[in-house]
Amino acid sequence: MSSIALTGRVPDGVPYVTRYTPNAMVGSVDNLATEAGVEMLRRGGNAVDAALAANAVLTVVLPNQCGLGGDLFALVHHNRERPVALNASGWTGSGADPTVLRRAGHTRMPPSGEIASVPIPGCVDGWVELQRRFSNLPLQEILEPARRYAHDGFPASPFLVQAIPKIANTAAASELAPDGTLSPGQVIQRPGMARLLAGIGSGGRENFYEGEFGQGLIRMGRGLYTEQDLSRVQAEWVTPLGMRVWGRDVWTAPPNSQGYLLLSAAWIAERLDLPTPEDPLWAHLLIEAARQAAFDRPEVLHERADGEALLSPTRLQPRLSAISRSNVADLTDRYMQGGTTYLCAVDKDGMSVSLIQSNAMSFGSGLVVEDTGVFLQNRGIGFSLEEGHPAEYGPGRRPPHTLSPVLVTNPDRSLHAVLGIRGGDSQPQVLLQLLVRLLKHDQDPAEAMAAGRWILRGTDDATSFNTWGYSGSVRTALEGQSPQSWPDALRSLGHTVEVDPSYDHPFGHAQIILSDGERLAGAADPRALSGSIGGY
């Protein structure tokens, strides 16, 4: 088993550190959440207990990224067995009707202010399933730090403060910023969330889906949801997708997750004779691998898609063969027309969790269930309104999902890494870059984390959820700290290039934990402003 690199090149002026612990580690986008996870570990909890506690705190302190009104995916690995995957993305209500939206003039699912774009949230069912199968601690104890912050108050993070203008002057902002503004460190109380968390802790899913939240959702839906819809458990255990690349097995969630794009692009990239990351050709080849992997995403990603078939070498080989080292591929004949947070945990016994939880876009649909403070996701934007499309909006369906947690094991099935990122359509793109840096170039977590990234955007896409909807016309956005040779060299190869600020939010908030069997090494993304890695 290879050891973990101890040194990296430190970019000037960047919050850059790889942290090491001998026993256990938690990484999240907020220090309060990370500390709650570590607290569970010290109480005798395992990695699942830590992940659940951290996630629960995030639903309180970062409602712009995740919440009880959103979805969840998780990978759990233990005892050198094949990882297991949990899909806690909710189904649409039985009243979902695409003809109603089409008659109203919609050609795409409306992104905000529309209850039709809100599938039943799966987060709480995901918590209950994870706790039931793996936890050492009772759910009430796990959720107590989050309940306490909601009831007693928590200081607003810079990340939350930056997001408040998106809901300023709306009823949704009343609890978080009563006067329309919020300052870092200002104490916020969320009594509705405290009440819901206490109920979930004492009574499980029934107190949520059949209680105050569920009844409020039914009223808001006006026939979209029924009590029977909410009695259906919104989470299920599924078989993860796996791919061996660069000598290790990379695992992610199957469809309706877009995780297959990461594995497809990694398979292609492994066969491309990549240069060092400073070379513009490195960026070009990885961009082309990502584009080829996603060449038919709008056509093939839906809840019934066969993930193994999407990873077939006979399917991927033509995509590999179509990549040129000297120019951009023309894919215009194939393409057709967020608010997320990631966390990870590893315990002293080697159990590891890769968990991603989301509202979809920031603050989701912008709709809040009355008196609860819960923002409802708008994950329904992943559906199509094209009649007969395999991902057409309709009753009892799950939308195509961007959430893609990642877990990496060694050939002997011991843990090598857990990692993930927020970022809508760009999640598999940035994860590809991180995997190549970690697995091929042996960079340590902080070096890989701080390096300049590229992401792809549709021609006029401002949401990060429709990259592949512009007939193959994509822009390549580079972070400002990327190698200076990248922009001009990529333009010369045919890429449409724009350069964004250094360490910018759109390039994702990642967390990484590596293991070499003797210690853990982790890093939190400096782009998040409040990211945190902790352990003991």
Side-chain angles (χ1 to χ4, degrees), residues 99-397:
T99 61
V100 171
L101 293 175
R102 288 194 283 258
R103 286 171 183 165
H106 295 288
T107 58
R108 293 173 53 192
M109 294 295 294
S112 63
E114 174 55 68
I115 194 68
S117 292
V118 182
I120 297 169
C123 171
V124 171
D125 269 335
W127 288 356
V128 171
E129 286 298 305
L130 284 163
Q131 193 276 338
R132 177 189 60 80
R133 182 165 177 175
F134 289 109
S135 283
N136 288 346
L137 302 176
L139 188 58
Q140 189 168 29
E141 183 175 354
I142 294 168
L143 300 184
E144 175 56 21
R147 188 210 64 79
R148 188 171 60 245
Y149 284 128
H151 182 270
D152 297 343
F154 62 92
S157 69
F159 188 16
L160 177 58
V161 170
Q162 285 187 354
I164 287 298
K166 297 178 181 178
I167 57 168
N169 304 316
T170 70
S174 60
E175 183 180 64
L176 301 172
D179 61 357
T181 62
L182 186 66
S183 302
Q186 183 175 330
V187 175
I188 301 171
Q189 292 176 298
R190 305 188 65 193
M193 281 288 292
R195 192 168 59 247
L196 290 176
L197 288 164
I200 296 166
S202 63
R205 77 171 311 275
E206 289 78 11
N207 279 359
F208 182 74
Y209 291 101
E210 300 174 22
E212 178 184 2
F213 173 86
Q215 293 304 308
L217 185 63
I218 288 173
R219 287 193 296 272
M220 291 179 69
R222 297 181 180 180
L224 190 59
Y225 318 99
T226 66
E227 290 185 355
Q228 185 175 1
D229 293 335
L230 292 169
S231 68
R232 177 184 187 182
V233 174
Q234 305 294 312
E236 60 181 348
W237 296 100
V238 294
T239 303
L241 293 179
M243 174 80 73
R244 179 160 294 187
V245 288
W246 296 293
R248 291 187 171 87
D249 295 313
V250 180
W251 304 90
T252 189
N256 55 319
S257 164
Q258 68 171 344
Y260 82 95
L261 292 179
L262 169 64
L263 303 185
S264 300
W267 186 95
I268 293 169
E270 186 184 32
R271 292 157 174 78
L272 286 176
D273 188 21
L274 296 172
T276 62
E278 292 73 26
D279 191 323
L281 183 60
W282 184 88
H284 166 71
L285 291 174
L286 292 185
I287 290 167
E288 291 299 278
R291 293 180 67 227
Q292 293 288 348
F295 82 104
D296 59 354
R297 180 193 187 276
E299 299 171 319
V300 303
L301 180 57
H302 53 87
E303 64 179 320
R304 300 175 302 281
D306 183 342
E308 295 292 344
L310 292 173
L311 297 178
S312 166
T314 58
R315 170 182 158 81
L316 297 180
Q317 183 61 48
R319 312 326 309 169
L320 169 64
S321 300
I323 292 177
S324 168
R325 301 176 78 87
S326 59
N327 61 268
V328 172
D330 180 4
L331 294 171
T332 55
D333 62 335
R334 292 302 302 161
Y335 286 126
M336 299 173 61
Q337 180 159 351
T340 297
T341 190
Y342 172 79
L343 63 93
C344 47
V346 180
D347 65 28
K348 61 182 176 58
D349 296 319
M351 176 183 282
S352 56
V353 180
S354 183
L355 186 151
I356 190 164
Q357 211 255 304
S358 176
N359 291 334
M361 295 180 182
S362 181
F363 293 108
S365 63
L367 301 173
V368 178
V369 175
E370 57 185 342
D371 299 326
T372 68
V374 174
F375 287 86
L376 294 172
Q377 65 179 6
N378 59 341
R379 188 56 66 176
I381 58 175
F383 285 116
S384 170
L385 285 179
E386 178 186 339
E387 191 169 359
H389 192 283
E392 184 183 8
Y393 177 66
R397 296 181 181 177

Side-chain angles (χ1 to χ4, degrees), residues 3-8 18 20 442-445 447 514 516 519 521:
S3 61
I4 298 168
L6 283 171
T7 59
T18 292
Y20 300 90
D442 294 321
Q443 293 185 353
D444 76 2
E447 184 179 10
L514 294 185
D516 65 2
R519 59 186 170 170

Side-chain angles (χ1 to χ4, degrees), residues 75 77 81-83 241-252 263 270 406-419 435 439:
L75 298 169
H77 173 253
E81 297 175 354
R82 181 187 179 100
L241 293 179
M243 174 80 73
R244 179 160 294 187
V245 288
W246 296 293
R248 291 187 171 87
D249 295 313
V250 180
W251 304 90
T252 189
L263 303 185
E270 186 184 32
V406 178
L407 192 148
V408 184
T409 56
N410 296 303
D412 64 359
R413 287 283 171 87
S414 60
L415 176 69
H416 180 70
V418 280
L419 67 154
L435 277 179
L439 302 187

